[in-house]
Amino acid sequence: MSENQLLSTGWKFIPKDEPNAYYKGFDDSAWQTVTLPHDWSVSFPFDRAYSSGTGYLPGGTGWYRKTLELPGDLAGKSVFITFGGVYNNSRVWCNSNYLGKRPYGYSSFTYDISQFVVPGKNVISVNVEHTDIADSRWFTGSGIYRDVTLRITSPMHFAQGGEGIFVYSQQADESKAVLAVKWKLQAGEAETEFVLIDANSQIVAAAKGHGAAGTTLLEILNPALWSCDSPNLYTLISRAIAEGEVRDEERTAVGLRSFRFDSNEGFFLNGINMKLKGVCLHHDAGALGAAVPKDVWRRRLQKLKDAGCNAIRTSHNPPDTLLLDLCDEMGFLVIDEAFDEWEGCKNKWWQGHNVYPPKHFGYADDFPQWHMSDLADMVRRDRNHPCVILWSIGNEVDYPNDPYVHPSFALVLGNNDKNKPEQERIYDPNKPDAARLGVIAKSLAAIVKEHDTTRPVTAALAFPELSDIIGYTDALDVAGYNYKEHLYESDHEKYPGRIILGSENGTSADKWACVRDSRYIAGQFLWTGVDYMGEAAGWPVRVATPGLLNLAGFEKPLYYLRKALWSAAPAAALATSISGEIADERFCWNYEPDDRVIISCYTNCYAAELFLNGRTLGKQTLSDTDLCRTVWHVPFEEGELVAVCEGSDGERLISKLQTAKAPAKILLAPDKTELQANGRDIAQIEVFLEDENGAAVTHSDLTIRFSVNAFAQIIGIENGCKSDLTPYTSNSRQTENGRMIVYLRAGQTAGEAVLTASAPCGLRETLWISMI
């Protein structure tokens, strides 16, 4: 049988080069002890000397070492170690034996260490070289920022690296599903057994096979189909059996579903026509950097789900498999994206966005040698996830003049070219010819199809006008358009067989109307679901803020606009500003006496009436052209602002804002009151300010210091402020609009963790969380 171990605790780390640290006998006793996943970038202060593109945080060189105690019965066993992601340029040793390197920081990779491990003490050494911090257009993090697992099995086992088990639905409808299991064994032929169990562990189908490889079919009658509303999952138990003994066993989550794209009708899931209501996501979580625990993603995804979101695009790299696991469990459809650049290196802004000159370093350096492995590994790793419906081979690699050019376009302005000098927008024959992109795209699509023919290939096109000329679009099954809503109608007529999807879109409501009112458009993916570090305007701003949620995972007014547009459930929310711009709005009714305030009510109800201190300020009826937003211009007056929204079925929804006094209480709201004392489990504690009457304080902020006893550890504090330069290692931070979040990780001893929050004004609050 097989044994899997998660290697998360007890790693030794040092953020500098140690040339002999690969050596098994190296003394690492003075190094830090860290828990994986780990991102060392967020353990350093922000500094203007670093790159704005990656959030003004450092990279550098680091070493990790893990001592493993393995059992004495290793003889004849196969042992594998898998890294979910190491950013970047990793090199790995086992007991002083060099295993290999992996430049791409987003790829998962596995090494066979069977011939190097011994009973008793073993040492895994990992060198990480992230020395060029301007190597990306967003925050990357540094280190072993995803899980590492060890697998001990017999020599007769299913192939590793996603090659051993590939499951897909040959048929899936309400009456019957046929599940295909394509399998491959290492070390010769054996009997194979495949058992499918439901959520109640009841066997619903079983089949056997024989040989070194094959495809086995399982038939399921009256299946519970996987969908966004009902993400039903089965578990496939795959066994390799030799001489009557189970030699290897693997478990795979299975979602039975069918889907298709149509050039005239858009997207269908299980035969039902629907719109993809998607968001793009980068991979960081502010204070946690790129080392994001599953529960943090769960909280974010649940909020997006509540807003009507049903799809995710992994921008612009292979994601953590934990994210895909959650999408399987929660019912999100996924565009799984491989690359942000191919052979041509994009501009990397390091002094502020579009501030010249850029730097030119990144994955393009490694693409020629590594793209086949990186793409194939992504597809093989992720193809069993029912959530994945599209493979994206690239993001905006056709961006005009960055670096590719074409003589058909003498002067071009891209979708993100504000303040770009004219000489950077004109055709320059000395730059790479864009015709090369068509050739590469065909090659990448072929790699995908070699490993999975059950899903279409797409890409996010920045310049489809160019990609149509050079053959890039021809290589795609689904054409993703970035910020090209004005081309939808004309391109649908010009290319009648083309499937068009909004792969990256602005958050304004009119962009959704383009999708809602065009049956042939499969959906849209907003930029973005959550704010992210990097791609920053310039010091001291270190965060990009287009998200529905801020960096701390709290809802913005923009979130409630999207909820009103996307959610089938009635929705209503008030927000205010002086400017009238959605980006400036707050959940606040504290202004100066002479201020004229613009009040927005976001609702999908048919009418909204606004009251100030009990008197009506007018009732407005909404139509499709209002796009779920009503607006009032009101002189500020202290008191209570109330919106009463009426649904078509007579249901009334109420949203309130109240003038608050000074902060009088710190409120700590944990997502859990018990944690497993395993050194990994986390609690997310939302922090709010209230006044003496219990009203939410959003107009005034406090600096709060947090402390915890030895039973737990504070691993991050985030307020979502785009220009807060307080080091993430600090245990104090100022609230932003009266709120922040604290991430607490369990220790490895049972007991009562006590978290204390205190402010200089004398406010204090305590929270107890049990470690069990």
Side-chain angles (χ1 to χ4, degrees), residues 146-458:
R146 294 179 184 166
D147 285 341
V148 178
T149 56
L150 188 77
R151 180 172 176 80
I152 303 174
T153 188
S154 72
M156 173 60 68
H157 58 265
F158 292 101
Q160 300 297 295
E163 290 189 278
I165 302 290
F166 174 27
V167 298
Y168 56 94
S169 301
Q170 279 194 351
Q171 175 187 341
D173 56 45
E174 292 182 351
S175 60
K176 187 174 78 170
V178 177
L179 182 69
V181 184
K182 187 176 181 180
W183 50 273
K184 179 182 178 181
L185 294 173
Q186 296 292 111
E189 297 185 353
E191 301 293 328
T192 54
E193 179 182 73
F194 304 97
V195 178
L196 191 69
I197 60 175
D198 63 17
N200 298 315
S201 299
Q202 298 299 305
I203 296 174
V204 297
K208 294 178 182 284
H210 177 82
T215 300
T216 301
L217 302 181
L218 287 81
E219 185 175 298
I220 304 97
L221 298 178
N222 303 313
L225 298 181
W226 185 96
S227 69
C228 297
D229 294 330
S230 299
N232 298 299
L233 291 174
Y234 295 85
T235 300
L236 178 69
I237 304 172
S238 304
R239 300 186 179 105
I241 303 169
E243 298 177 350
E245 180 182 341
V246 176
R247 300 301 178 88
D248 191 21
E249 179 178 296
E250 291 202 8
R251 295 188 172 228
T252 307
V254 171
L256 302 171
R257 49 91 177 117
S258 65
F259 71 90
R260 65 183 176 90
F261 289 88
D262 185 273
S263 60
N264 293 313
E265 301 294 325
F267 178 74
F268 293 79
L269 180 64
N270 299 327
I272 299 173
N273 186 240
M274 60 180 285
K275 294 292 187 183
L276 296 173
K277 301 173 180 178
V279 298
C280 303
L281 290 177
H282 275 315
H283 73 158
D284 76 278
L288 303 175
V292 187
K294 187 176 182 179
D295 280 348
V296 174
W297 278 121
R298 189 190 307 277
R299 171 176 173 264
R300 292 171 159 203
L301 290 180
Q302 187 58 60
K303 292 189 177 192
L304 293 172
K305 188 85 171 178
D306 292 343
C309 176
N310 62 20
I312 302 296
R313 173 174 168 232
T314 67
S315 309
H316 305 290
N317 49 262
D320 193 337
T321 53
L322 294 179
L323 178 63
L324 296 181
D325 290 343
L326 283 169
C327 290
D328 289 342
E329 296 165 18
M330 300 176 71
F332 287 91
L333 299 161
V334 173
I335 300 177
D336 204 340
E337 193 154 78
F339 307 120
D340 187 52
E341 60 188 20
W342 297 345
E343 293 173 347
C345 190
K346 291 181 178 179
N347 292 332
K348 306 300 192 307
W349 307 113
W350 57 287
Q351 303 175 94
H353 193 65
N354 282 353
V355 177
Y356 281 79
K359 292 189 176 182
H360 292 101
F361 180 78
Y363 181 66
D365 287 18
D366 300 305
F367 180 90
Q369 181 179 350
W370 284 94
H371 73 274
M372 293 181 65
S373 295
D374 289 328
L375 181 56
D377 285 351
M378 180 190 85
V379 174
R380 287 195 299 260
R381 185 196 71 170
D382 297 346
R383 62 188 178 179
N384 287 334
H385 288 277
C387 64
V388 176
I389 58 168
L390 285 162
W391 302 114
S392 173
I393 57 175
N395 170 65
E396 295 191 345
V397 293
D398 59 342
Y399 197 92
N401 301 312
D402 190 14
Y404 292 97
V405 298
H406 196 274
S408 300
F409 301 93
L411 180 68
V412 188
L413 190 67
N415 61 50
N416 202 14
D417 280 350
K418 184 180 180 181
N419 302 322
K420 194 171 188 176
E422 183 172 345
Q423 65 268 24
E424 297 294 333
R425 293 185 272 136
I426 61 175
Y427 172 67
D428 180 353
N430 295 307
K431 287 187 173 182
D433 186 346
R436 175 67 178 157
L437 297 177
V439 176
I440 299 173
K442 290 180 175 64
S443 173
L444 295 178
I447 294 170
V448 172
K449 298 296 186 181
E450 180 183 349
H451 300 284
D452 181 18
T453 58
T454 70
R455 297 172 176 89
V457 173
T458 189

